[in-house]
Amino acid sequence: MQTIQDYIANHKQRFLDELIELLKIPSVSADPAFNQDVLNTADSIKNSLEKAGCDKVEICETPGYPIVYGEKIIDPKLPTVLVYGHYDVQPADPIDLWDSPPFEPIIKETDIHPEGAIFARGACDDKGQMYMHVKALEYMTQTGNLPCNVKFMIEGEEEVGSESLAWFVPRNKEKLANDVILISDTGMIANNIPSITTGLRGLSYVEVEVTGPNRDLHSGLYGGAVANPINVLTKMIASLHDENKHITIPGFYDKVEELSREERDEMAKAPFSLEEYKNALDIDAVYGEEGFSTNERNSIRPTLDVNGIWGGYTGEGAKTVIASKAYAKISMRLVPNQEWREITELFKNHFESIAPKGVKVKVTPHHGGQGYVTPIDNIGYQAASKAYEETFGVTPIPQRSGGSIPIVALFEEELKSKTILMGFGLNSDAIHSPNEHFGVWNYLKGIETIPYFYKYFTDLSN
Amino acid sequence: MQTIQDYIANHKQRFLDELIELLKIPSVSADPAFNQDVLNTADSIKNSLEKAGCDKVEICETPGYPIVYGEKIIDPKLPTVLVYGHYDVQPADPIDLWDSPPFEPIIKETDIHPEGAIFARGACDDKGQMYMHVKALEYMTQTGNLPCNVKFMIEGEEEVGSESLAWFVPRNKEKLANDVILISDTGMIANNIPSITTGLRGLSYVEVEVTGPNRDLHSGLYGGAVANPINVLTKMIASLHDENKHITIPGFYDKVEELSREERDEMAKAPFSLEEYKNALDIDAVYGEEGFSTNERNSIRPTLDVNGIWGGYTGEGAKTVIASKAYAKISMRLVPNQEWREITELFKNHFESIAPKGVKVKVTPHHGGQGYVTPIDNIGYQAASKAYEETFGVTPIPQRSGGSIPIVALFEEELKSKTILMGFGLNSDAIHSPNEHFGVWNYLKGIETIPYFYKYFTDLSN
C-alpha cells in the first residue's frame, strides 16, 4: 500500500501549484470591496473537497459569508473527525511593506526555510494549513487509507469574528456530529521542536470614538481653550495601564486563571532565547506586565493593545487643525475563565466613565470569543502526539498560545467535543503582517503527519 | 470725486465674480499633488495686480513657491505701504464634511451672514481677505485716490511655514522698503464689534514617529510581550500635560510673558458669552489650563495640541495587529518672548527622553515662527482705528489673537517696520475647517475700509 511519503514525492509540485492558485484570490473578509473574491474562494474550496474524495460537498448559506461543508462517511460505526479551517484572510495593508504583491504568491528561500517558503497573504493563516487537510484526505481516499469518517467545515469569517459560524453550528448539530475536531490554525515552536497548542486566549475587540467640537477647528484660534479629542483619547488610552503594565479596568482580572508555580515552571522549560527574540524583532528590550516572563505575558496573561488609531490631519506636510473626532481600535486578549462579553461590558463602562467633560465618547464592540484549554490526557491529544512522533521523530511539547480561535470554545459548548490544534506554522511566518509566508517543508510535513492522526485516533477510539 | 461707497455699488458683482474665479483654483501648498494649481494661482494674482494699477508686477522665484510682487510708486517722498497676503490655502480634507465642494465656490445665506457668504477653501484664509486689498487698490488708482506708495508681496507657502518668504525677505530689503506693513489674515470679534489684532502667537510644529518591532505583529502571538508603539505613543503624548493642563516640558514656560492683572482685566472687557461659545461648538464644557479664562487660554497662553495621529489598522472592520510604527503631528502655540527654535529643541529633547525601552523615537521639526505684539500708540494702528471708525461707526477693540503669522516677527526684524493686522473675518468662518466661508458683507466692508487706512496713514505720517 502506497505510503504518504511516496504519495507526497509523486504529487509535491501539484500540491504546491494548487495552493498557489488558492492564494491568488484576495479573500479579505474585513473589507466589503473583496466580497466577490471571498465568495469565489468558497467555490474553489468546494471543488477541492470534491476532487479530494468527499461524497457530499455543499456551500451552506449563512447571514454572512457561506460555510463550505464536505463529508466522507465510510461507516457510521467508525469514529468521525471534523476538520475546521477558514478560507478568509487578514487585510494585506500596509501593502507598501510587502516585498512582493500579497496576492501574487512566490516561493523564496529564507534562513529558517532553506527549502523555500510561499510568500502570500493567507499562505499560513489559514489557506496553507487548511489545504494540508484537503491533500491529506486526497491521499487517504485515493490510496484506501482512510480509517474513519471525516467531515470538513471551512468558514469565511474567522478574521472578523466568525459570527456566521456561531449562527450555523447550533443549527446543524446533527450534520456536524463528531468525535473530535481537528484544526491547523496555530504554530509550533520550531521545525525541530514540534508542539501542540493546548490553550488559546479569548478576545474582546472594540472601537472607540471621541468627539470634541462639532467641526474641525483652527488650532490657533481655539487651541488651549477646548478639549482636543486626540489629546483626550491619548490620555484615556494611556490610563488603561498602570506603571506596572497592569490593566486598570475595574474587575478585569477577577476571573483570570492563576497558574501554579509548578505549571509555570513546566512552561519555562520550553526552549526560548530572549536575545534571539529581541534580535528577530530588532528591539532593545521587551515590554510587558511586571512579574511575568515573555512567554507568560503572551500566553497565560490577558492584554490590552491598540490595533489602530487615527484622527486629524495625517497627510503630507502640516495642518494646524483641532480635529472634531478621534478613533481607536482596541483589542483585549483574554485567558480561560474570563467571559468575553462581560469584559467587553467592563471596558465600555470604564472607558465611558473616564471621559472628561468637553467630549462625547462612543464604544462599539466589534466581536470576541472565549479562551480554551485542551487536557493532554485526551485521546485526540494522544493521537496527535503519536502522529508527530512518527513524522518528526520526537515527542511534541504541549504549549499555550497567545492567539485566539474564538469558535473553539463554541464547538465544545455546542458539539460537546474537544478540539486538537495541530499547527505547522512558525511565529516567524509573519501572519497578519506584511510578507506572510509558510514553509514548503512545513506544508508537506503537515500533509505527511495528518493521516497518522486519523490512524491513531481510530485505534485509540476502540 | 467718486467715493469708495459709490465705486463698490457700481462694481460689487464683478468684485464677487473675480474672487470666485480665484477660489476655484485648489492652491493647496501642503500637498505636492496640487503643485501646478499653486503656480497657476500665482499667475492669476500677477494679472489681478496689473489690472488693479500696479506699474511693475513680477513673479519672484524662490527655492519653493514663487512670491508675487507688485508696486505703484507715485512719489518716493511719500510714505509706502507694504501689503502682505498669501495665495495658498489649507488642505480641504476631510472632504466628506463639506456641504459643497471646497473648490466650487457658492454663495449661501447664514444666520451670521444674512447678505450671504462665499463658501470655499480659502474664501476667508486668505484669498478673500488678500483680494480686498487688490480691489481697494483698483479703486484708488482708477479714481485718483491713492495718497501714497504701495507695494504688494503675496506668497504661496503661508500654510506650510513661509520658508521661501524667510529666504526672500532678507535678500530683497531694498525692494521691500516700507513705512508700514498691512495684512488682512486675521479676524474681528463681530460685524458690529470691529477689532484690530495687536498680538499673535508663535508656533512650533513637529512630527513624531515611534517604532517598536521591525514589522507588524499578530496581537495574539505577541500582545502583552512587546512594546506596542501606539500604546506607547498615547502614554508619551498624555504625559505632556499634567492634571492642571499645564505643559510638562521642562523650561517650556520660562520665557512666557506674564500679563499684569490690569491687562487681564482689560482683556476681560471684550464681549464674550461662554454659553454661546459652547453652543456654537456643541460642547458641554470648555477645557484648558487651570487659572485662565477661555479668551486667555487661546491668546496669551502657550498650548500643545495633537493635530493628527495615525498608526495600525484604520480600515473597515477589525485587524488584530500590533503596528510597527505610530505617528503624530504636534503643534505648540507660543506667546511673545518664547523663542520657537528653542521650544522646538526643548520638545525634541524631552520627547526623546521619555521614550521607554523597547521603542525608538524620532522627532522631525516641521516649521515655526515667533509671536508678535503691535503697540496701539503706533501711527499705523491709529490710522487703522480711524479707518474702522469711518466705515463701522465705532472704535475698534485691540485684541490678542491665538493664531500665528510667523513672518510678522520676521518683517519687524528684517524690514524694521511694524505690521497692522486689519482682519475682517469672523471666528465662525471655519477657516482650516470644512465649509470655510467669508461674508459678502465682510468682503465689501474690507474693500471700503482699506482706502481710509491709506488716507489716515499718509496724513499721520506728515
Side-chain angles (χ1 to χ4, degrees):
Chain A
M1 196 160 67
Q2 191 177 20
T3 65
I4 179 65
Q5 289 77 11
D6 297 338
Y7 196 83
I8 290 171
N10 299 337
H11 301 282
K12 172 178 171 177
Q13 191 55 50
R14 178 172 56 83
F15 287 179
L16 287 169
D17 296 341
E18 289 176 13
L19 175 56
I20 283 169
E21 284 310 305
L22 181 61
L23 291 169
K24 288 180 180 173
I25 319 176
S27 50
V28 179
S29 51
D31 186 344
F34 295 97
N35 180 285
Q36 190 54 53
D37 298 297
V38 180
L39 296 173
N40 294 344
T41 310
D43 291 333
S44 166
I45 301 299
K46 176 173 184 291
N47 300 335
S48 304
L49 286 174
E50 284 163 345
K51 290 207 191 89
C54 284
D55 299 328
K56 182 175 130 201
V57 184
E58 48 187 327
I59 290 191
C60 308
E61 294 308 324
T62 72
Y65 285 119
I67 286 158
V68 184
Y69 175 83
E71 66 178 34
K72 173 95 179 164
I73 308 299
I74 58 174
D75 177 350
K77 290 188 294 303
L78 287 169
T80 299
V81 175
L82 174 64
V83 175
Y84 162 84
H86 62 93
Y87 61 82
D88 63 322
V89 300
Q90 278 278 315
D93 51 291
I95 297 276
D96 55 337
L97 294 186
W98 285 75
D99 298 331
S100 59
F103 299 108
E104 296 172 24
I106 59 166
I107 295 180
K108 279 186 304 187
E109 288 180 15
T110 73
D111 297 348
I112 296 178
H113 299 293
E115 299 177 35
I118 307 165
F119 283 77
R121 167 58 80 227
C124 180
D125 178 16
D126 180 48
K127 285 175 176 170
Q129 295 215 79
M130 174 267 292
Y131 206 68
M132 297 182 308
H133 291 271
V134 180
K135 294 297 97 179
L137 175 66
E138 174 191 313
Y139 159 72
M140 293 186 284
T141 55
Q142 297 295 314
T143 61
N145 282 304
L146 181 63
C148 61
N149 306 310
V150 57
K151 296 175 177 177
F152 275 74
M153 173 171 62
I154 313 301
E155 72 152 317
E157 296 180 10
E158 197 274 342
E159 301 295 1
V160 290
S162 302
E163 272 181 35
S164 295
L165 190 75
W167 173 92
F168 179 80
V169 171
R171 289 170 173 71
N172 295 274
K173 294 185 183 183
E174 204 49 51
K175 177 198 288 271
L176 302 174
N178 66 81
D179 299 284
V180 69
I181 296 166
L182 185 58
I183 303 179
S184 295
D185 196 19
T186 50
M188 58 183 183
I189 294 170
N191 285 355
N192 59 342
I193 309 167
S195 56
I196 298 174
T197 301
T198 55
L200 293 167
R201 288 198 285 192
L203 178 73
S204 169
Y205 199 112
V206 301
E207 187 162 321
V208 301
E209 173 188 303
V210 175
T211 304
N214 54 1
R215 57 186 170 89
D216 287 1
L217 299 175
H218 184 293
S219 69
L221 303 183
Y222 291 89
V226 299
N228 176 327
I230 302 178
N231 288 72
V232 169
L233 178 60
T234 62
K235 248 192 163 44
M236 292 173 73
I237 290 173
S239 76
L240 298 176
H241 288 93
D242 67 17
E243 64 285 4
N244 295 320
K245 322 297 189 312
H246 292 301
I247 294 158
T248 57
I249 299 167
F252 185 83
Y253 290 101
D254 288 0
K255 297 181 178 174
V256 168
E257 162 201 53
E258 295 294 340
L259 272 68
S260 68
R261 185 70 259 168
E262 294 62 34
E263 290 173 287
R264 292 178 65 181
D265 292 343
E266 196 49 44
M267 276 187 68
K269 292 189 183 140
F272 176 75
S273 159
L274 190 58
E275 275 318 299
E276 283 173 21
Y277 187 84
K278 289 190 295 183
N279 293 339
L281 301 175
D282 187 22
I283 52 178
D284 61 358
V286 291
Y287 183 100
E289 189 178 10
E290 293 294 320
F292 294 91
S293 71
T294 291
N295 280 335
E296 291 174 331
R297 287 167 174 170
N298 63 26
S299 63
I300 62 170
R301 298 298 296 172
T303 67
L304 185 151
D305 274 299
V306 180
N307 301 110
I309 190 166
W310 67 103
Y313 183 66
T314 60
E316 280 233 23
K319 188 168 191 284
T320 50
V321 66
I322 292 177
S324 172
K325 290 173 179 289
Y327 307 82
K329 293 175 192 276
I330 299 174
S331 67
M332 291 159 281
R333 296 283 170 173
L334 311 177
V335 294
N337 303 339
Q338 281 184 296
E339 209 292 302
W340 77 269
R341 288 185 180 78
E342 180 185 350
I343 293 293
T344 303
E345 197 59 24
L346 288 176
F347 177 92
K348 191 175 192 299
N349 295 338
H350 176 67
F351 203 73
E352 287 168 354
S353 75
I354 60 175
K357 273 187 184 298
V359 302
K360 301 179 194 72
V361 169
K362 195 169 108 197
V363 177
T364 308
H366 262 302
H367 65 276
Q370 289 299 104
Y372 178 79
V373 176
T374 304
I376 65 175
D377 55 8
N378 172 280
I379 64 164
Y381 182 89
Q382 295 299 328
S385 184
K386 286 167 167 291
Y388 281 92
E389 283 170 34
E390 286 276 358
T391 55
F392 286 78
V394 292
T395 305
I397 297 171
Q399 185 193 33
R400 289 285 195 102
S401 164
S404 308
I405 310 180
I407 38 66
V408 169
L410 174 85
F411 291 158
E412 179 161 41
E413 192 182 320
E414 297 290 340
L415 305 177
K416 311 295 178 213
S417 48
K418 282 289 179 187
T419 292
I420 307 305
L421 299 160
M422 292 175 70
F424 295 91
L426 302 178
N427 276 358
S428 56
D429 289 344
I431 65 172
H432 290 214
S433 304
N435 303 313
E436 173 179 356
H437 56 281
F438 188 34
V440 170
W441 183 90
N442 302 70
Y443 175 56
L444 298 175
K445 187 56 89 175
I447 297 170
E448 180 187 351
T449 307
I450 290 164
Y452 289 100
F453 171 83
Y454 284 75
K455 174 179 181 296
Y456 289 115
F457 184 74
T458 307
D459 295 348
L460 291 168
S461 298
N462 297 331
Chain B
M1 197 158 66
Q2 191 178 20
T3 67
I4 179 65
Q5 290 76 12
D6 296 340
Y7 196 82
I8 291 173
N10 299 336
H11 301 282
K12 171 178 172 177
Q13 191 54 51
R14 178 171 57 83
F15 287 178
L16 286 169
D17 296 342
E18 288 176 14
L19 174 56
I20 282 170
E21 283 311 305
L22 182 62
L23 290 169
K24 288 179 181 174
I25 319 176
S27 51
V28 179
S29 51
D31 187 343
F34 296 97
N35 180 285
Q36 190 54 52
D37 298 299
V38 180
L39 296 174
N40 294 344
T41 311
D43 291 332
S44 164
I45 301 298
K46 175 173 184 290
N47 299 336
S48 303
L49 287 173
E50 284 164 346
K51 291 209 193 87
C54 283
D55 299 328
K56 182 176 128 199
V57 185
E58 49 187 327
I59 289 191
C60 308
E61 294 309 323
T62 73
Y65 285 118
I67 287 159
V68 184
Y69 175 83
E71 65 176 34
K72 173 94 180 165
I73 308 299
I74 58 174
D75 179 349
K77 290 188 294 304
L78 286 169
T80 299
V81 175
L82 173 64
V83 175
Y84 162 84
H86 63 94
Y87 61 83
D88 63 322
V89 300
Q90 278 276 314
D93 51 291
I95 297 275
D96 55 337
L97 294 186
W98 284 75
D99 298 331
S100 60
F103 299 107
E104 296 172 25
I106 58 166
I107 295 180
K108 279 187 304 187
E109 288 180 16
T110 73
D111 297 348
I112 296 177
H113 299 293
E115 298 176 35
I118 306 166
F119 283 77
R121 168 58 81 227
C124 180
D125 178 16
D126 179 48
K127 285 175 175 171
Q129 295 214 79
M130 174 268 293
Y131 206 69
M132 297 183 307
H133 291 269
V134 180
K135 294 297 97 180
L137 174 67
E138 173 191 315
Y139 159 72
M140 294 186 284
T141 56
Q142 296 296 314
T143 61
N145 281 308
L146 181 64
C148 61
N149 306 309
V150 58
K151 297 175 176 177
F152 275 73
M153 173 171 61
I154 313 300
E155 71 153 319
E157 296 179 8
E158 197 273 342
E159 301 295 3
V160 291
S162 302
E163 272 180 33
S164 295
L165 189 75
W167 173 92
F168 179 80
V169 171
R171 289 169 174 72
N172 294 274
K173 294 184 183 184
E174 203 50 49
K175 177 198 289 268
L176 302 173
N178 66 82
D179 299 284
V180 69
I181 295 166
L182 184 58
I183 304 179
S184 295
D185 195 19
T186 50
M188 58 182 183
I189 296 172
N191 285 356
N192 59 342
I193 309 167
S195 57
I196 298 175
T197 301
T198 55
L200 292 166
R201 287 198 285 191
L203 178 73
S204 169
Y205 199 112
V206 302
E207 187 161 319
V208 301
E209 173 188 301
V210 176
T211 304
N214 54 2
R215 57 185 169 90
D216 287 3
L217 300 174
H218 184 294
S219 69
L221 302 184
Y222 291 89
V226 298
N228 176 327
I230 303 177
N231 288 72
V232 168
L233 178 61
T234 62
K235 250 193 161 42
M236 292 174 71
I237 291 173
S239 75
L240 297 176
H241 289 93
D242 67 17
E243 65 285 4
N244 294 321
K245 322 297 188 313
H246 291 301
I247 294 159
T248 57
I249 300 167
F252 185 83
Y253 290 99
D254 288 1
K255 297 182 177 174
V256 168
E257 161 202 55
E258 296 293 341
L259 273 69
S260 68
R261 185 71 258 168
E262 294 64 34
E263 291 173 286
R264 292 176 65 181
D265 292 343
E266 195 52 40
M267 276 188 69
K269 291 188 184 141
F272 175 75
S273 158
L274 190 58
E275 275 319 299
E276 284 172 21
Y277 187 83
K278 290 191 293 184
N279 293 339
L281 300 175
D282 187 24
I283 51 179
D284 61 358
V286 291
Y287 183 101
E289 191 179 7
E290 293 295 319
F292 294 92
S293 71
T294 292
N295 280 336
E296 290 173 332
R297 288 166 175 172
N298 64 24
S299 63
I300 62 169
R301 298 299 296 173
T303 66
L304 185 151
D305 274 298
V306 181
N307 302 110
I309 192 167
W310 67 104
Y313 183 67
T314 60
E316 281 232 23
K319 187 167 190 284
T320 50
V321 66
I322 291 177
S324 171
K325 291 173 179 287
Y327 307 83
K329 293 176 192 274
I330 298 174
S331 66
M332 291 158 281
R333 296 285 170 170
L334 311 177
V335 294
N337 303 339
Q338 282 184 296
E339 208 292 300
W340 77 269
R341 287 185 181 78
E342 181 185 349
I343 293 294
T344 303
E345 199 58 25
L346 288 176
F347 177 92
K348 191 175 192 300
N349 296 338
H350 176 66
F351 202 73
E352 287 168 354
S353 74
I354 61 175
K357 273 187 183 303
V359 301
K360 303 179 193 73
V361 169
K362 194 169 112 201
V363 177
T364 307
H366 261 300
H367 64 276
Q370 289 300 103
Y372 178 79
V373 177
T374 304
I376 66 174
D377 55 8
N378 171 281
I379 64 164
Y381 182 88
Q382 294 300 326
S385 183
K386 287 168 167 289
Y388 281 92
E389 284 170 35
E390 286 276 357
T391 55
F392 286 79
V394 293
T395 305
I397 296 171
Q399 186 193 29
R400 288 286 195 97
S401 164
S404 306
I405 309 179
I407 38 67
V408 169
L410 173 85
F411 291 159
E412 180 161 42
E413 191 183 323
E414 297 290 338
L415 305 178
K416 313 296 178 211
S417 48
K418 282 290 179 186
T419 293
I420 306 305
L421 299 159
M422 292 175 71
F424 296 91
L426 302 178
N427 276 357
S428 56
D429 288 345
I431 65 171
H432 290 214
S433 305
N435 303 314
E436 173 180 357
H437 55 280
F438 188 34
V440 170
W441 183 89
N442 302 70
Y443 175 58
L444 299 176
K445 186 57 85 173
I447 298 170
E448 179 186 351
T449 307
I450 290 163
Y452 289 100
F453 171 83
Y454 283 76
K455 174 179 181 297
Y456 289 116
F457 184 75
T458 307
D459 296 349
L460 292 168
S461 298
N462 296 329

